[in-house]
Amino acid sequence: MRVSPTPLLLLAFTAPASISFAQTAAVPHNPTGIDFSFAGYEAGPALPSIPAVLTVRPTGSDDTALLQSAIDRIATLPIQPNGFRSALLLQPGRYRIAGQLTLRASGIVLRGSGPTNTTLIAEGLSRRSLIEAGALTDPTLATPIEVTEDAPAGSLTLTLTSTDSLTTGDHIVVRRPSTAPWISAISMSGLPGTFANQRLDWQPGSHDLVWDRTILSIDPTTHTITLDAPITTALEKQYGAGTVAKLTGQPPITHIGIEDLTLESTFDPANPKDEDHAWIAILFDHLEDAFVRNVTTRHFAASAVHVNLRARRITITDTHAESPIAEFAGYRRQSFLIDGQQVLVRHSTSEAGMNDFASGLLAGGPNVFLDDTATASLGASGAFEGWSSGILYERVHIPNARLQLLLDFSRAQGAGWTAANSILWNSTAQSVDAIGPPAAANYVINSPQSLYETQLQARIGTTLLPETSVSSSFPPSPLWFASPKAETPANPPQTHPVQIINGRFVLEGKTLWGPSQGEAWWRGDTSPYTAGKSTGSSVSRFMPGVTAPGLTEDLPEMASRLKARGIVSIQINPGLWYDHRRDAHTVERRDDGNVWAPFFEAPWARSGQGTAWDGLSKFDLSRYNPWYFERQKQFAQQAAQQGFLIFYDLYNTHDVLEIGPHWIDYAWRPANNINNTGLPEPPPLKPHNRNDVGNQFFSTTNPELKALHRAYMLHTFDQLGDQPNVIFGIAYQYAGPLEFEQFFQDTAREWESTHPGRHIRFALTTSKQTTDAILQDPIRSKQIAVVDMRYWEYRPDGTLFAPKAGENHAFRELISLAFPGYTDTPPVTTPEQVYRATREYRDRYPNIALMPMEDGAGPIPILMGGGASQSALVGGRTPAPKPSAEQQASAMYPLRPATAPPEHANADHNLEAFIQTNLATSLMNLSPRDGWTAAPDHTWTLAGSPKDPILLYSLSGPDITLTHPLPHTHYAAQWFDPETGQTQPAEAKQSTYAKPNASPWLLLLKPE
């Protein structure tokens, strides 16, 4: 086949100033070198027709259990030589699905009686996929083997350091690393912009390409393997080449089919932008050799079919995505979203899409869109995230929008080079545009021949045939009824409430001691490989169709991860803003709704009316986001099952203080909601874009605003007030007036009055002045369970640093004013002063759990002072450069240089282990005691009843000398070194215990 003599259409593209690549070379036939015919079910053959062994018919009520039980029954049948067990035939009718259908075993086909006859209806408010197929997790892998020679795009052979551990037929994973030199070579680092290194630059490891492949043959003499499908980006030794790893666990799920039916989602007909319903009709991941044939979808918010990274050899044919219901915004209305490998989307249509035929982040390819058509498009089709590799768009028609493979930073965070080694072939659109990265160019080609069909004919000697319905091709099969089950009440999951006893956190008779953690609440990363590490985890972060740390969290896994880390508590609060475009800290109104995922969902619902400043519809503050609260409730249940605390804040103070960008997209800003709040609009920004509406926002004198706050508080208590391990607070870094804290607590008492037996526990995380006022209140003080003391400290000279709340400044601003170069935490203080601050409140309020900030002194002064745990805000950080006057005024402080973990980090872990081993059952009985030692200024004591152990801590000096008579004659005495974790026996001579050295030591005395 020849390429048309028509010259390559080149887009006149204006790249960022730091990026300039010319695309001027003549283009040979298929210049990528990739054989795209490997895309599709079993890499090319026609789709099979599988007989049904079971039939179901709708009941008129929820059919989730009926259909799932039939699917599970087929999963027990033997797999036939063709890879299938059988098909489940759905008789004509409308099947109501309140839950989700899952295909977790190989060889199952779900077949309707034709799209006009059989309809599955996703009911309810859940943002789920209606049908999911594939395994739940990545496979386990053997030790990776290095690739030793360069392999160009399109290669089917790889040379390895050794093939001794490999066998023909092995399933393997080929990984191409995204190393710092490679990222630099393609100019995806050092990008311009505020916080660009955190939000735009590609990080090493974030853009690894992964291909699931099977070994066809091995040449042990040359250490070469032959793959069953090509790679699509070159493996180059100068950039780390790549690795091959053998699957060691279960083989992948294979041979899945969904055909001849319609899938619909219910929605609120009063809201044409409603998103509180099913988002995805069909989601594939962790499977191979699957197909979707002759399916129609309607009203889903995101996708008809979403193929994730680890799904391959998929055919989607004659599938039609109609009438999506969602915002006109990013990561919605992507009818066919392909992130996977060897996917063929053929003869399919989409309407009203933001990206009708989308290629997503790190799609491994080769993937093909063939003979597809979009109508009424709202945005361009094509690659939109980062480095989709080996895509062919052939005879794709987008009459109302563009078709593009570009260098693009507009539609996804840090997208950059959206595609590599890809072609737009004989396709039409308003414009057809391609620009590619160095050594991985993209092309626009017009030719009288088909690239895909010619390659398929050359490789397997066949061409594509039309796909037809098979729903009436087989004789009737037996009717399936769900087996009736005895009505036995389900055993609720066991919960483990955390109590507060003598100011300590106690779980089932054992003291909890360990770190506390804050939740992520700004920044995002779309890469599943780095998101969890680079931006942390959040209960309310949402990445449509993707469940992974740092994206949409698997909440049971997240809770288990936190528990395994030994955390005592996690602080949860709403995110700073929904859209990560605002991470640039700008204040302009968005021209469109191309919001960047992953999203921080807000507690309040969108109205479907008007346009907020982030490009989505305005909020309705009197209605609440069901997805947000369902997630919070599920995580609170996990915390109760795992046995740790949640400090749940209703607001995020950053939204209403410091700078305009914090407020500009906030739901409560009048421009962003349909309610009457009485707050100022336009924003009363001051020089340097300062925004100080905190006192107005946290006001109790504005009746309309107060009513909205009250309703929101009551709704929150309705959702979470029965969760045993949730302790409530107003806001992260609450710096508002005392009156709002009082109103908050009074509203809780109002709620309690209508919910007998329920009790709301509060944590104070605010100024010392507000804390003292509440604790001195005879009524409101009884509601306080925890005091977080992070916002005041005694300095090394003994003076008190205690910035005031209610002054329209965030605490970190007040810290920075007092100590230039410091923001979130002040300079370190001494162990003696941390102990002093802890003892001061412990002596007054022994039954309240105290959480001081360790301020660089470590947690032992908190332990010995009677505290429950250290605050989630860790002190002792290295200061940033002194801010300029403008930075100080705008609160856009210079970034603190990266530092190693605090020097006492290992000592913290050592202390946790020591307490769990020696004091878990007794620490809650111990209290600080005075007059027990000869040097009380640097030797502290914890003691309880005569049967309890005694714990002493010496900061300095050669020994610990007791001046208080011990209740027992004989004690087992043990020294503990917090720095090393080592213990050794201790002996007394006339009430004096000589220390091993002059360093700080703990002395544990256990009565014998």
Side-chain angles (χ1 to χ4, degrees), residues 166-189:
L166 301 176
T167 305
T168 298
D170 281 346
H171 293 277
I172 61 171
V173 172
V174 182
R175 180 177 290 270
R176 180 192 186 277
S178 49
T179 62
W182 175 70
I183 292 170
S184 177
I186 61 171
S187 299
M188 288 294 101
S189 60

Side-chain angles (χ1 to χ4, degrees), residues 67 90 94-95 97 101 110 112 114-115 118-122 129-132 258-266 278 280-283 292 294-300 303-305 319-323:
L67 294 183
L90 281 63
R94 294 175 69 81
Y95 296 77
I97 311 297
L101 302 179
L110 184 65
T118 300
T119 301
L120 273 62
I121 306 165
S129 305
L130 175 56
I131 301 173
E132 283 192 6
I258 301 169
E259 59 186 0
D260 291 332
L261 44 73
T262 290
L263 306 175
E264 286 186 3
S265 174
T266 59
I280 298 170
I282 299 169
L283 178 66
V292 178
N294 196 31
V295 170
T296 297
T297 72
R298 297 190 185 100
H299 311 321
F300 291 88
S303 299
V305 185
T319 295
H320 309 287
E322 302 174 355
S323 304

Side-chain angles (χ1 to χ4, degrees), residues 228-541:
D228 66 337
I231 63 172
T232 58
T233 292
L235 305 184
E236 301 169 274
K237 290 187 290 183
Q238 65 175 326
Y239 299 132
T243 59
V244 168
K246 177 181 176 179
L247 271 65
T248 58
Q250 291 293 322
I253 292 174
T254 68
H255 294 86
I256 296 292
I258 301 169
E259 59 186 0
D260 291 332
L261 44 73
T262 290
L263 306 175
E264 286 186 3
S265 174
T266 59
F267 63 95
D268 180 359
N271 183 359
K273 297 179 181 180
D274 179 31
E275 296 188 341
D276 295 327
H277 60 96
W279 273 54
I280 298 170
I282 299 169
L283 178 66
F284 285 157
D285 203 3
H286 301 104
L287 85 165
E288 61 183 48
D289 293 327
F291 62 86
V292 178
R293 171 170 52 190
N294 196 31
V295 170
T296 297
T297 72
R298 297 190 185 100
H299 311 321
F300 291 88
S303 299
V305 185
H306 183 167
V307 181
N308 259 333
L309 286 170
R310 303 306 293 276
R312 75 160 184 147
R313 302 206 310 196
I314 311 293
T315 291
I316 302 161
T317 183
D318 297 280
T319 295
H320 309 287
E322 302 174 355
S323 304
I325 300 295
E327 300 273 355
F328 303 146
Y331 291 83
R332 286 95 163 152
R333 300 170 177 262
Q334 297 174 323
S335 299
F336 299 91
L337 174 54
I338 308 304
D339 299 325
Q341 314 159 44
Q342 297 177 257
V343 182
L344 170 64
V345 182
R346 176 190 177 211
H347 286 167
S348 295
T349 63
S350 169
E351 67 179 24
M354 293 296 295
N355 190 341
D356 296 277
F357 302 104
S359 188
L361 180 69
L362 302 172
N367 296 326
V368 177
F369 293 89
L370 179 68
D371 293 319
D372 299 317
T373 302
T375 58
S377 300
L378 301 170
S381 281
F384 76 104
E385 288 182 304
W387 209 266
S388 287
S389 184
I391 325 160
L392 172 64
Y393 286 82
E394 181 169 345
R395 299 195 300 262
V396 173
H397 305 292
I398 318 287
N400 303 114
R402 298 169 65 180
L403 179 59
Q404 61 188 37
L405 308 170
L406 299 176
L407 178 69
D408 185 5
F409 291 94
S410 66
R411 298 207 288 179
Q413 179 170 328
W417 295 115
T418 61
N421 298 318
S422 299
I423 304 176
L424 307 177
W425 187 284
N426 290 347
S427 293
T428 62
Q430 283 188 344
S431 64
V432 181
D433 308 313
I435 185 171
N442 301 315
Y443 303 89
V444 177
I445 297 177
N446 294 296
S447 170
Q449 294 177 280
S450 166
L451 176 58
Y452 173 81
E453 292 172 346
T454 302
Q455 289 182 324
L456 184 65
Q457 177 71 41
R459 185 170 62 85
I460 65 174
T462 188
T463 57
L464 287 172
L465 298 174
E467 296 291 349
T468 59
S469 171
V470 297
S471 57
S472 59
S473 303
F474 300 103
S477 53
L479 192 63
W480 173 261
F481 297 94
S483 300
K485 296 182 179 179
E487 293 294 329
T488 56
N491 292 324
Q494 187 175 5
T495 60
H496 305 280
V498 177
Q499 300 173 283
I500 297 174
I501 299 176
N502 192 30
R504 309 283 192 183
F505 297 130
V506 178
L507 177 65
E508 296 173 341
K510 293 185 177 181
T511 306
L512 290 177
W513 184 271
S516 297
Q517 181 172 317
E519 182 193 37
W521 48 267
W522 83 290
R523 298 196 299 128
D525 181 351
T526 55
S527 170
Y529 305 125
T530 56
K533 294 180 180 179
S534 66
T535 61
S537 294
S538 170
V539 173
S540 59
R541 190 185 265 141

Side-chain angles (χ1 to χ4, degrees), residues 611-864:
T611 304
W613 272 49
D614 60 7
L616 276 62
S617 67
K618 294 184 177 183
F619 289 92
D620 182 348
L621 301 176
S622 67
R623 295 176 56 249
Y624 307 102
N625 182 342
W627 185 90
Y628 180 93
F629 280 103
E630 183 60 28
R631 296 279 291 180
Q632 301 298 343
K633 187 184 300 183
Q634 289 174 4
F635 189 68
Q637 292 166 348
Q638 290 297 319
Q641 293 169 32
Q642 293 283 354
F644 62 83
L645 288 169
I646 292 174
F647 293 111
Y648 184 85
D649 294 329
L650 278 69
Y651 306 91
N652 188 328
T653 301
H654 280 280
D655 281 306
V656 298
L657 290 177
E658 297 185 332
I659 55 175
H662 292 175
W663 175 252
I664 214 74
D665 285 346
Y666 190 40
W668 290 72
R669 179 192 166 195
N672 296 326
N673 63 68
I674 63 172
N675 312 91
N676 178 20
T677 65
L679 292 170
E681 185 64 43
L685 299 182
K686 299 176 181 178
H688 308 293
N689 277 333
R690 278 208 59 87
N691 176 66
D692 300 315
V693 297
N695 286 353
Q696 291 169 283
F697 179 77
F698 292 118
S699 171
T700 58
T701 61
N702 176 338
E704 292 86 1
L705 185 63
K706 185 176 180 180
L708 289 169
H709 282 306
R710 174 182 169 276
Y712 170 50
M713 293 172 186
L714 293 173
H715 180 79
T716 300
F717 299 145
D718 285 342
Q719 298 298 306
L720 300 174
D722 61 347
Q723 297 300 319
N725 287 354
V726 173
I727 297 177
F728 293 89
I730 292 182
Y732 173 77
Q733 205 183 81
Y734 178 63
L738 168 64
E739 292 77 14
F740 196 83
E741 176 68 48
Q742 294 169 330
F743 164 59
F744 183 42
Q745 293 185 221
D746 294 347
T747 303
R749 287 204 311 280
E750 175 192 346
W751 183 87
E752 289 173 342
S753 70
T754 60
H755 294 78
R758 304 280 181 85
H759 176 60
I760 300 296
R761 294 192 292 178
F762 284 92
L764 294 174
T765 310
T766 184
S767 70
K768 186 178 189 302
Q769 296 82 0
T770 297
T771 299
D772 289 344
I774 294 295
L775 293 180
Q776 292 163 14
D777 185 314
I779 296 176
R780 298 185 180 99
S781 61
K782 296 177 182 179
Q783 298 172 276
I784 304 304
V786 177
V787 171
D788 189 318
M789 301 167 61
R790 69 180 68 180
Y791 294 123
W792 68 89
E793 70 170 20
Y794 287 105
R795 301 296 304 137
D797 63 3
T799 58
L800 176 67
F801 173 68
K804 293 182 180 179
E807 297 190 346
N808 266 343
H809 281 83
F811 287 118
R812 66 176 187 173
E813 293 184 278
L814 300 175
I815 291 169
S816 184
L817 286 170
F819 310 104
Y822 291 84
T823 51
D824 295 313
T825 63
V828 298
T829 188
T830 65
E832 292 87 347
Q833 297 299 346
V834 175
Y835 178 80
R836 173 190 175 189
T838 308
R839 278 294 305 270
E840 184 176 277
Y841 279 78
R842 166 70 187 206
D843 291 346
R844 295 181 199 168
Y845 312 107
N847 296 316
I848 291 177
L850 303 177
M851 298 180 66
M853 187 167 60
E854 46 85 9
D855 286 329
I860 291 180
I862 298 170
L863 169 72
M864 300 304 296

